[in-house]
Amino acid sequence: GKRRKGPSKCVPVTVLTGFLGSGKTTLLNHILSDRSHGMKFAVIENELGEIGIDQKIISERVDESIIEVMNGCICCKTRGDLVDTLKRLYQRVETFDGIIIETTGLADPTPVVQTFFAETNNGEEALEKMYKLDSIITVADAKYILQRLDEDRPCYAENEAELQVCFADKILLNKTDLVGEEEKLREIEDRLHSLNPNAPILRCQHSKVTPKELLNIGAFDLERVLEFDPFFLGEFKQPKHDRAISSLSTKVEGEVNLQLLDNWISRLLQDVGDTLYRYKGIIAVKGMQQPFVFQGVGRLFSGAFRGNWKADERRESTFVFIGKDLNTMFLRAGFKACRETKVLRFPLGTIVDANTGIYERGTVIRHWHDGHAYLVRLHDRIGEILVPVDIDWYVCAVPYIPQREF
């Protein structure tokens, strides 16, 4: 019989990494919607949560590209899925200009990069013959990168932001407009260069960089990697993440009141913004044919109506939170309470306990005030408190105290 031919072309692979909210998906959208480079790519999109959001954002901008989505952390439990996906895709992409792998913001790049070397794949050479690692591009958020690099972690856990910088063949210092001061930007660049002296740093805003600066540039250098990680080609690495960091994916049917959502997120960021590394969602808003797409990092939040709901598409709202010590019950309840409704638990005149940082006694004096569920007048001091959504975290019933008989 005829002997089966081996792979006819080594397809270049670009690994796109960077901590949560740095601007990776925005960069990917720029690349896919830019026609000037004349290149055709497949994309492997990795999302940490169980519910995919980035795929919906990206797919609207894709013409002939192939999108594959993998849920779960690509550097840990889904690495086997990455190998299978790459093998399965090869016949479809061998005529493409390359593959772009976008990791989650919490991914250690080491296992992803090790995937392309036989020495860390039990000697299997199949992937090495199909693909070649072209470059590792790390997107760094100028506003938060120093905070992420200096973050205290348990002794068993690695700092993913630091590893992402160390592995970079090129670093995009994004959101420089949020820093502004030249002296501060130089301080950030000096810190990045202390971790990775060889990687060029490109400053940018909104992840806008000419794609030809990033794609098929032949920048990956195994010798450089071995200099800072001599055991890279040894045993396959099992990353150790901070167990306090987790994600929550939630989905609700029905339409969301955008004003309620905006007010709730504003209060949420005020109360626990420091623990939220990343949050994003696609929202069905009553009376609007376009979904509302929003995202945030720490206390910075933005959103806009984008695209259109498809005729056969279910109008539902999805939300993903990633952060430290997340109160998942509270976040899920808060999001669900933003649904469009006219029914509130407490009638006007009801005495309630409202959360002002502590629970204070007050009386409900208005419903749906400036887009908030309640306006409560406090009893023990002069003042009123806006209650963003109708859940016990913000407003609850006064415990029943029976009247004494005389």
Side-chain angles (χ1 to χ4, degrees):
K2 289 185 179 179
R3 189 175 173 185
R4 188 178 175 184
K5 286 185 178 181
S8 58
K9 176 189 173 184
C10 245
V11 179
V13 176
T14 301
V15 176
L16 185 57
T17 189
F19 204 74
L20 296 160
S22 57
K24 299 183 297 298
T25 303
T26 303
L27 174 62
L28 192 53
N29 271 329
H30 287 322
I31 292 171
L32 295 177
S33 58
D34 189 329
R35 298 290 180 261
S36 66
H37 54 70
M39 293 185 276
K40 187 176 179 182
F41 290 90
V43 174
I44 296 177
E45 168 74 25
N46 183 213
E47 295 203 57
L48 194 63
E50 297 171 2
I51 301 171
I53 287 180
D54 289 344
Q55 179 194 17
K56 294 181 181 179
I57 299 171
I58 291 170
S59 59
E60 294 171 4
R61 299 170 176 262
V62 172
D63 185 8
E64 297 178 327
S65 300
I66 296 170
I67 302 289
E68 290 278 336
V69 177
M70 296 169 52
N71 292 322
C73 186
I74 198 171
C75 71
C76 304
K77 56 190 177 183
T78 58
R79 178 176 176 268
D81 295 340
L82 174 60
V83 172
D84 293 342
T85 299
L86 287 165
K87 288 180 178 178
R88 177 170 48 80
L89 278 178
Y90 181 75
Q91 287 190 331
R92 297 170 65 192
V93 303
E94 61 178 322
T95 60
F96 280 30
D97 294 287
I99 281 187
I100 302 171
I101 299 175
E102 182 191 348
T103 73
T104 73
L106 288 175
D108 171 356
T110 312
V112 181
V113 177
Q114 284 179 324
T115 300
F116 298 94
F117 294 92
E119 291 88 339
T120 50
N121 273 315
N122 300 317
E124 184 184 339
E125 298 179 353
L127 277 183
E128 268 197 284
K129 292 177 179 178
M130 295 176 181
Y131 299 99
K132 64 178 179 182
L133 196 56
D134 182 77
S135 63
I136 301 167
I137 307 297
T138 297
V139 186
D141 183 335
K143 184 170 178 64
Y144 286 105
I145 186 62
L146 295 185
Q147 182 181 329
R148 299 301 176 224
L149 292 173
D150 292 333
E151 202 165 52
D152 287 334
R153 294 292 179 93
C155 59
Y156 65 81
E158 58 199 11
N159 186 314
E160 295 88 357
E162 184 173 301
L163 289 167
Q164 291 160 357
V165 171
C166 288
F167 262 93
D169 295 307
K170 192 169 280 191
I171 299 170
L172 303 189
L173 185 57
N174 191 30
K175 308 183 188 180
T176 54
D177 53 316
L178 299 181
V179 175
E181 299 170 11
E182 179 64 25
E183 187 177 341
K184 185 66 176 178
L185 288 171
R186 285 180 183 171
E187 178 191 340
I188 295 168
E189 289 174 336
D190 288 346
R191 180 68 181 280
L192 297 177
H193 271 144
S194 73
L195 295 170
N196 188 337
N198 299 311
I201 298 176
L202 300 181
R203 294 184 186 182
C204 61
Q205 299 173 16
H206 307 291
S207 299
K208 288 186 178 177
V209 178
T210 304
K212 289 188 177 180
E213 290 270 9
L214 312 174
L215 306 170
N216 293 0
I217 56 177
F220 180 75
D221 182 358
L222 180 59
E223 295 302 318
R224 184 187 68 79
V225 172
L226 291 171
E227 281 178 15
F228 72 82
D229 186 357
F231 302 104
F232 173 77
L233 291 179
E235 187 174 337
F236 174 71
K237 184 178 180 183
Q238 294 291 345
K240 292 182 173 66
H241 300 298
D242 185 345
R243 289 189 286 269
I245 299 174
S246 62
S247 69
L248 165 69
S249 304
T250 189
K251 182 184 293 186
V252 299
E253 293 185 9
E255 294 170 313
V256 165
N257 182 309
L258 193 56
Q259 187 67 56
L260 272 181
L261 179 71
D262 187 54
N263 290 332
W264 175 59
I265 290 179
S266 296
R267 176 70 182 268
L268 185 68
L269 299 186
Q270 177 186 320
D271 292 346
V272 297
D274 289 339
T275 67
L276 293 176
Y277 290 158
R278 187 77 168 113
Y279 43 99
K280 48 191 173 180
I282 297 178
I283 307 299
V285 178
K286 188 171 184 178
M288 296 297 295
Q289 185 52 37
Q290 295 178 304
F292 184 75
V293 179
F294 72 92
Q295 53 187 323
V297 182
R299 298 182 189 277
L300 298 177
F301 165 73
S302 64
F305 287 99
R306 185 186 301 172
N308 284 288
W309 292 104
K310 296 174 183 174
D312 58 347
E313 191 173 4
R314 196 172 192 170
R315 288 176 66 98
E316 57 189 10
S317 298
T318 56
F319 206 148
V320 174
F321 296 93
I322 305 171
K324 200 164 189 175
D325 300 317
L326 294 182
N327 183 335
T328 55
M329 289 181 64
F330 157 60
L331 292 172
R332 189 174 278 116
F335 183 47
K336 288 183 177 179
C338 293
R339 284 179 294 184
E340 192 73 49
T341 178
K342 293 182 180 178
V343 180
L344 294 175
R345 291 179 298 161
F346 303 117
L348 293 176
T350 305
I351 296 175
V352 295
D353 284 338
N355 187 346
T356 63
I358 59 171
Y359 283 95
E360 296 188 60
R361 194 64 43 89
T363 300
V364 175
I365 59 172
R366 286 194 185 175
H367 288 165
W368 306 117
H369 183 69
D370 289 340
H372 294 75
Y374 299 103
L375 180 65
V376 175
R377 178 167 293 147
L378 302 175
H379 289 181
D380 293 340
R381 59 189 174 97
I382 297 173
E384 296 165 345
I385 179 79
L386 289 165
V387 177
V389 291
D390 189 13
I391 61 174
D392 280 348
W393 179 273
Y394 297 115
V395 60
C396 60
V398 173
Y400 174 69
I401 302 173
Q403 292 183 346
R404 292 176 60 186
E405 294 184 5
F406 295 95

